[in-house]
Amino acid sequence: QTDTLRENNEGPDLDYLYGMGSFLKAKKYIAENVPNNTTGFALQDAQTFLTKALAEDPGKYYDAWMPLAEAAWLNQDPTSAAEAAAQAVKHAPGPEPLYLQGRILFSHYQVLSANEKTAAQAGAALTSSIAAFRSAIDGIKPKPEEAGRLGDMYKNLGLALQYAEDGPGAEEAYAQ
């Protein structure tokens, strides 16, 4: 999409470009352990500008759903993160969007379960996270180069199953 920016350099194309650039900058900062406020500003910009671009044309900028979901998650905005993750799965189904969705929904479960008023929502988030983890795992082709990623997926599935009080399921996931 970056090759097709408008000549006047404004509008959703520029929002998309700036949002994606901010997201990649934030990921770089995280990898380099740059101070949190610098990383936070980049994540806020990513969430703001990707949201604007996707509101304008969600189909054109479909590849921004995953970065938006991750930026919102890292910004501790679980509702926006969960919504964007669902769109990421819808627009580009595959193991990575499903795995991100599972991680976001599990985090959302943890937030919701801390409040008695949202216990029912917490259970739904936990159930959905487990389903997303399982779907992500099913989508990975067993290749040696995927072993680490698959291990991470099983580890997260096992953790979610522990919270769901499914000991045998957790044991099986951890054993993979």
Side-chain angles (χ1 to χ4, degrees), residues 89-169:
V89 169
K90 177 181 172 186
H91 285 87
E96 289 307 315
L98 285 161
Y99 181 51
L100 178 61
Q101 182 182 43
R103 291 167 56 211
I104 288 168
L105 289 169
F106 185 67
S107 291
H108 198 46
Y109 156 75
Q110 291 175 312
V111 170
L112 293 170
S113 67
N115 184 338
E116 289 180 18
K117 295 178 183 175
T118 55
Q121 292 172 305
L126 181 59
T127 300
S128 295
S129 75
I130 292 168
F133 287 139
R134 285 187 169 138
S135 293
I137 289 166
D138 289 344
I140 293 281
K141 308 233 181 323
K143 298 182 274 186
E145 63 269 17
E146 294 289 351
R149 195 75 179 136
L150 193 55
D152 286 343
M153 290 177 182
Y154 274 114
K155 178 184 75 178
N156 281 285
L157 173 60
L159 183 61
L161 288 167
Q162 269 185 285
Y163 276 84
E165 298 181 6
D166 180 355

Side-chain angles (χ1 to χ4, degrees), residues 20 23 43 46-47 50-51 54 62-89 96-97 99-105:
M20 292 296 273
F23 176 73
L43 287 168
Q47 186 174 355
L50 292 175
T51 298
L54 286 162
Y62 69 91
D63 61 335
W65 286 113
M66 260 186 71
L68 174 59
E70 191 168 353
W73 182 38
L74 294 171
N75 278 331
Q76 299 181 10
D77 182 354
T79 302
S80 297
E83 291 168 1
Q87 290 298 316
V89 169
E96 289 307 315
Y99 181 51
L100 178 61
Q101 182 182 43
R103 291 167 56 211
I104 288 168
L105 289 169

